[in-house]
Amino acid sequence: MSELLQIQRPLPPSLHAMKTSCVNCSMHQLCLPMGLDDSDMNRLDQIIGRRRRVARGESLYRMDDPFRNLYAIRLGHFKTYQFNAGGEQQITGFQMAGELMGMDAISTDKHHCDVAALEDSEVCEIPFQRLEELFGMIPMLLRHFHRIMSQEITREQNAMLLLGNMRAEQRFAAFLINLSSRYAARGYSSTSFQLRMSREDIGNYLGLTIESISRLVSKFRKLGWLGVDKREIQLLDPVRIKALAAGTETCPMA
Amino acid sequence: MSELLQIQRPLPPSLHAMKTSCVNCSMHQLCLPMGLDDSDMNRLDQIIGRRRRVARGESLYRMDDPFRNLYAIRLGHFKTYQFNAGGEQQITGFQMAGELMGMDAISTDKHHCDVAALEDSEVCEIPFQRLEELFGMIPMLLRHFHRIMSQEITREQNAMLLLGNMRAEQRFAAFLINLSSRYAARGYSSTSFQLRMSREDIGNYLGLTIESISRLVSKFRKLGWLGVDKREIQLLDPVRIKALAAGTETCPMA
DNA sequence: CGCTTATTTGAACTTTTTCAAGTCTGGTGG
DNA sequence: CCACCAGACTTGAAAAAGTTCAAATAAGCG
C-alpha cells in the first residue's frame, strides 16, 4: 500500500520524443503484434492512442474505472491487484514488458482491478473499440488476441494451483521459476534478475505473510539455492528449485 | 478421484432425439448466442457439431488432448481440474448450464485441464475453427465471445482472492454465495439447492481438506445459517453468509 | 545525519491439517 | 427383508504449518 503513496517523479522528456512504434519495439514478437507483417503492424500502430509513462508507484487505472483501453507494457513492471468488500488486497499478478493488461474489463466495461507501476514504466494505450475494428480486417490479429486472452486464463489457473495446494516453499519456488522463465523469454538471464516487487507484494501474491517470505528467502539462501542481495536474485541451483516448484521434490527441513 | 472410477450408466436414448438448438435452449440468454437475433443464432446452430452426453464421472476431455472444440453446457454440472508435475490435483472451477469450457486451450492448441461431469450432463460441441469463421460474419458474436473470455479471467481472479487471503469460513461462505447467485441467474432458488460435488471436491477447490469442509458445514449448521441434508443445502441466513463472504463481518467462534 | 520504510528474526499463538476412529447411506446378495 | 460392504461424511485429538506480535537491523531518501 505504502508504495502507492510515495512521491511520483516524472521521467525526463527526452524519452518521450523517442521514436516509438510496434515495428521498432523489442517486444513485438511477444506482444499483441506478434506474427503480423509490417503492413498490418503499421495499421495496429496507427490506432495506438499514445505511449504513456507511469512513474513508480503510480496507478495506471483503478477498479471501476470505465474501460476504454488495453495497455501493452513497453518497458517496466506492474502489479495488478483487487480489493474485496472488506478492503483486503490481493495481488493477482505481476506484469512485465510485452504483456497486455486490462482484458478482465471487457466483460463489464469496467476495470476489475487496480494496476500500479513497480518502477518507472511505459505502456502503449490501445483503444479497445478501434482494436475491435481491426479484428475484422486482420484475422491474424484476432487469433493472436484470443491466444493472449487464453494465456491469461491459463496463467491464472496456474496461480490457483499454486494458492490452492502448494506449501509455502513450493509457492516461493514456483514464483521464482515463473519469473525466471519469463525473463528468459525476453532474452534476459534466467538465473540472475532483480525482484521489482517488495517482499510484502510477493507475500500478498503468494498468499503468505511478509515474514514468511523473509524466512523463505533466508532458508533458500542458507541451503545455497539462492544468492540474495536485497532484491537482486541469483538462482544458484535452478534444477532443485524447479523440481521443488513442480512438486517432484520436497524441501529439506531447516 | 474415486468418483471417476464408478460405473457409467448411459442415458435413455429418448433424450437424444429431442430437438436441440440454440433457439430452443433455455440457456441461450446466458450462453454463447446471447444477444443474437434468430437468424444469427441459427447460423451458430449450424456449426455446432453435436450435442454430446457425458455420464456422471465421465471425462469430457483431458489435459493435453488436442484442442478442437469449445463446449457449452446444456444440462448438468462439471468440474475442471489440473494436475501439477507431482500429480496433485487442483479443481479450478465448477461449471453449470450455459457456461463455456475449453477457452484455456486456445493459446496452445492443447487442453490445459481435465473436465469431468458431476452428474449426467449434456454439452454442445462447438468447433472452434468454424466459430472463428463466424466471428468475421457476426460481430455481435465476437463481442460476446470476448466478454465470456473476459468473464472467465475475472472469475479466476476472484478465485485467487479467495485462495490468497480468506480464512476457511470466508472461503466456504464465498463458495456458497457464488453458487447461490449462479443458480439465481438461471432462475432457480438462490437459497435452496443441491451441491453436485462431493465435500472432497469442495475442499480441493477451496484449498482446504475434506475434514475442514465437514467441520465448516457442521459449524454453519449449528449457527443456524445453513440447513443441510446430505448435499441438499438451504441458506437460512443468506445476509450473514454474504457479509462473511464479503469480509465485512467475521465468523463467531465455536 | 535523521527519519521513515523495508526486511529479518525469534517466540508465542492460531489455524488448519493429519491421523484415527466412527457413523451413515445406498446398493448387493443371501 | 436384512446383513454386509464400500464410499462419503463426521468428529476428536495431536501435530504441523504459518501467522501474529515484538523487536532489532538495514536501507533509501531527503
Side-chain angles (χ1 to χ4, degrees):
Chain A
M1 284 301 309
S2 51
E3 217 164 349
L4 299 180
L5 301 171
Q6 75 184 41
I7 295 150
Q8 290 153 9
R9 283 153 287 113
L11 297 178
S14 59
L15 248 177
H16 220 202
M18 196 174 81
K19 172 74 190 118
T20 55
S21 70
C22 291
V23 180
N24 295 324
C25 179
S26 64
M27 286 299 135
H28 74 229
Q29 280 313 324
L30 274 174
C31 189
L32 196 52
M34 176 176 133
L36 299 187
D37 62 31
D38 281 15
S39 120
D40 286 339
M41 214 179 286
N42 281 326
R43 292 164 84 181
L44 177 58
D45 248 335
Q46 278 157 29
I47 70 158
I48 289 179
R50 51 179 174 147
R51 268 75 183 190
R52 184 171 150 192
R53 285 206 230 109
V54 190
R56 174 168 177 213
E58 199 182 308
S59 173
L60 179 58
Y61 56 76
R62 291 178 184 281
M63 188 156 50
D64 293 330
D65 280 357
F67 169 60
R68 286 191 238 292
N69 305 298
L70 294 175
Y71 295 91
I73 305 176
R74 272 182 71 73
L75 196 101
H77 287 74
F78 289 82
K79 63 174 175 183
T80 49
Y81 50 102
Q82 276 192 297
F83 296 91
N84 64 7
E88 293 203 282
Q89 189 188 60
Q90 168 73 36
I91 293 175
T92 52
F94 299 110
Q95 286 75 22
M96 53 177 77
E99 296 178 338
L100 207 58
M101 303 185 293
M103 291 172 289
D104 54 344
I106 295 171
S107 67
T108 55
D109 286 324
K110 276 183 184 178
H111 285 287
H112 274 242
C113 59
D114 283 34
V115 176
L118 294 172
E119 62 185 325
D120 292 341
S121 302
E122 204 172 331
V123 297
C124 300
E125 196 175 271
I126 305 167
F128 186 63
Q129 209 165 31
R130 303 201 61 189
L131 185 64
E132 282 183 304
E133 293 162 14
L134 270 195
F135 286 153
M137 297 185 266
I138 313 175
M140 183 73 152
L141 179 64
L142 180 60
R143 298 194 79 175
H144 189 55
F145 179 65
H146 290 162
R147 281 174 189 265
I148 290 176
M149 288 200 90
S150 171
Q151 211 166 42
E152 180 71 11
I153 292 171
T154 301
R155 189 186 71 71
E156 276 159 21
Q157 282 174 356
N158 289 334
M160 285 185 69
L161 185 63
L162 183 146
L163 292 168
N165 61 29
M166 292 187 190
R167 318 237 116 270
E169 288 108 1
Q170 201 183 350
R171 292 187 197 188
F172 186 55
F175 168 75
L176 293 171
I177 293 304
N178 177 277
L179 286 182
S180 164
S181 65
R182 284 156 78 195
Y183 285 124
R186 282 158 183 77
Y188 298 120
S189 168
S190 67
T191 55
S192 178
F193 49 85
Q194 199 197 27
L195 300 173
R196 318 297 162 122
M197 66 296 284
S198 66
R199 305 283 198 265
E200 185 167 9
D201 282 345
I202 298 173
N204 185 301
Y205 176 67
L206 296 179
L208 300 168
T209 58
I210 179 175
E211 293 94 334
S212 292
I213 300 302
S214 190
R215 285 185 242 272
L216 286 166
V217 169
S218 299
K219 185 170 185 179
F220 282 24
R221 189 167 39 65
K222 282 172 192 158
L223 284 166
W225 295 1
L226 216 55
V228 185
D229 176 25
K230 285 167 243 166
R231 296 191 175 180
E232 202 63 44
I233 292 286
Q234 287 201 301
L235 306 188
L236 301 176
D237 192 347
V239 175
R240 205 54 84 62
I241 298 174
K242 216 167 289 179
L244 180 54
T248 53
E249 193 171 317
T250 58
C251 195
M253 39 110 273
Chain B
M1 283 306 307
S2 52
E3 215 164 353
L4 297 180
L5 301 172
Q6 76 183 44
I7 293 149
Q8 290 154 10
R9 284 155 284 112
L11 296 179
S14 58
L15 247 177
H16 219 201
M18 196 174 80
K19 172 73 189 120
T20 54
S21 70
C22 291
V23 180
N24 296 324
C25 179
S26 64
M27 285 299 136
H28 74 229
Q29 280 313 324
L30 273 173
C31 188
L32 196 53
M34 175 177 134
L36 298 187
D37 62 31
D38 281 14
S39 121
D40 285 340
M41 214 179 286
N42 280 327
R43 292 165 83 182
L44 178 57
D45 248 335
Q46 279 158 30
I47 72 157
I48 289 179
R50 52 178 175 151
R51 268 77 183 187
R52 183 173 151 191
R53 286 208 229 107
V54 190
R56 174 167 177 214
E58 200 182 306
S59 175
L60 179 58
Y61 55 77
R62 293 180 181 280
M63 188 155 50
D64 293 330
D65 279 356
F67 168 61
R68 288 189 237 293
N69 306 298
L70 295 175
Y71 296 92
I73 305 176
R74 274 182 70 74
L75 196 98
H77 286 75
F78 290 83
K79 64 175 175 183
T80 49
Y81 50 101
Q82 276 192 299
F83 295 91
N84 64 8
E88 293 204 281
Q89 188 188 62
Q90 168 73 35
I91 293 176
T92 53
F94 299 110
Q95 285 76 23
M96 53 177 76
E99 295 178 339
L100 206 59
M101 304 184 293
M103 292 173 289
D104 54 343
I106 297 172
S107 66
T108 55
D109 286 323
K110 276 184 185 178
H111 286 287
H112 275 240
C113 58
D114 283 33
V115 176
L118 293 172
E119 60 186 327
D120 291 342
S121 302
E122 203 172 331
V123 297
C124 300
E125 195 174 271
I126 306 167
F128 186 63
Q129 209 164 30
R130 302 201 60 188
L131 185 65
E132 282 183 305
E133 292 161 14
L134 271 195
F135 287 152
M137 298 185 264
I138 313 175
M140 183 73 152
L141 179 65
L142 181 60
R143 297 194 80 175
H144 188 56
F145 179 66
H146 290 161
R147 282 175 189 265
I148 290 175
M149 288 200 90
S150 171
Q151 211 165 41
E152 180 72 9
I153 292 171
T154 301
R155 187 185 74 69
E156 276 160 20
Q157 281 175 356
N158 290 334
M160 285 185 69
L161 185 63
L162 183 146
L163 292 169
N165 60 30
M166 292 187 190
R167 318 235 118 275
E169 288 110 0
Q170 202 183 350
R171 292 187 198 189
F172 187 56
F175 168 75
L176 292 171
I177 293 304
N178 176 278
L179 285 182
S180 164
S181 64
R182 284 156 78 195
Y183 285 124
R186 282 159 182 77
Y188 299 119
S189 168
S190 66
T191 56
S192 178
F193 48 85
Q194 200 197 27
L195 300 175
R196 320 297 163 124
M197 66 296 285
S198 66
R199 306 280 197 267
E200 185 167 8
D201 282 346
I202 298 173
N204 185 301
Y205 176 66
L206 297 178
L208 299 169
T209 60
I210 180 174
E211 292 96 333
S212 293
I213 299 301
S214 189
R215 285 184 243 271
L216 287 166
V217 170
S218 300
K219 185 171 185 179
F220 281 25
R221 189 167 39 65
K222 283 172 191 157
L223 284 166
W225 295 1
L226 217 54
V228 185
D229 176 26
K230 283 167 243 164
R231 295 192 176 180
E232 201 63 44
I233 291 286
Q234 287 202 301
L235 305 188
L236 301 175
D237 191 347
V239 175
R240 204 53 83 65
I241 298 174
K242 218 168 288 181
L244 180 54
T248 53
E249 193 171 317
T250 58
C251 194
M253 38 111 273

